[in-house]
Amino acid sequence: GRFLSSPQPRAEDPASMSNDGDFLRRCASALGASGVAFGAFGAHALKDALSRKPGATDNWKTAVTYQLFHACALLAMSSSSAFTSSERVKDKIDDTTASNLLTGGKLMAVGTILFSGSIYGLCLDVGPKKLLGPTTPIGGLLMIGGWIMIGLGS
């Protein structure tokens, strides 16, 4: 519902632009910090456990890589001129562009959580495989959708 819905028009509310950028920055921060933690955890504390399960180490690295890559993308998007309150820039960015960027960012954030999170669970045999298995490609599709929305944003 509300999470993926289009934001209200920005022309009259410069504060909402800043809030959208702040939201994406917070998502980037959470994904980046947890991605570093999961990477370190997998390389050290879980090294033996992951090495006992065929492919788990490589899968863990893939999840961490995608998580960190999308954290960087979200951070870059959060500083986009579409989310500035500057009058000079605001006149050049239409509401559709800003809406597509925000929606793309939200899709990326949710997709990353589903994609990487499900891989972490599968590597550790945590949670039902019947649920986690299909969650990975759904997360991947959401990330792809996010990139498409960004492309449509300009």
Side-chain angles (χ1 to χ4, degrees):
R2 170 75 177 117
F3 184 73
L4 293 176
S5 65
S6 297
Q8 297 300 314
R10 288 163 167 50
E12 299 169 13
D13 187 8
S16 79
M17 285 188 217
S18 174
N19 291 338
D20 292 343
D22 287 346
F23 173 78
L24 294 178
R25 182 181 46 78
R26 286 187 196 104
C27 288
S29 176
L31 288 172
S34 60
V36 171
F38 281 123
F41 198 50
H44 300 289
L46 294 175
K47 186 176 183 177
D48 291 337
L50 292 174
S51 66
R52 284 192 295 270
K53 186 174 181 181
T57 300
D58 288 338
N59 290 339
W60 191 273
K61 288 178 183 177
T62 297
V64 169
T65 301
Y66 274 70
Q67 183 171 340
L68 291 174
F69 183 80
H70 284 85
C72 291
L74 288 168
L75 185 60
M77 289 170 53
S78 74
S79 61
S80 167
S81 60
F83 301 120
T84 184
S85 59
S86 166
E87 291 296 324
R88 196 178 96 231
V89 174
K90 186 173 62 173
D91 292 338
K92 296 180 181 180
I93 304 291
D94 64 15
D95 291 340
T96 302
T97 298
S99 175
N100 285 348
L101 286 174
L102 181 61
T103 300
K106 289 177 178 181
L107 287 170
M108 277 186 174
V110 171
T112 302
I113 291 167
L114 294 176
F115 179 85
S116 294
S118 63
I119 293 174
Y120 298 139
L122 289 166
C123 287
L124 298 175
D125 291 322
V126 176
K129 288 184 182 180
K130 287 185 178 183
L131 176 64
L132 291 177
T135 302
T136 306
I138 292 169
L141 288 172
L142 290 174
M143 290 187 293
I144 292 167
W147 285 106
I148 291 170
M149 291 302 295
I150 292 167
L152 296 174
S154 54

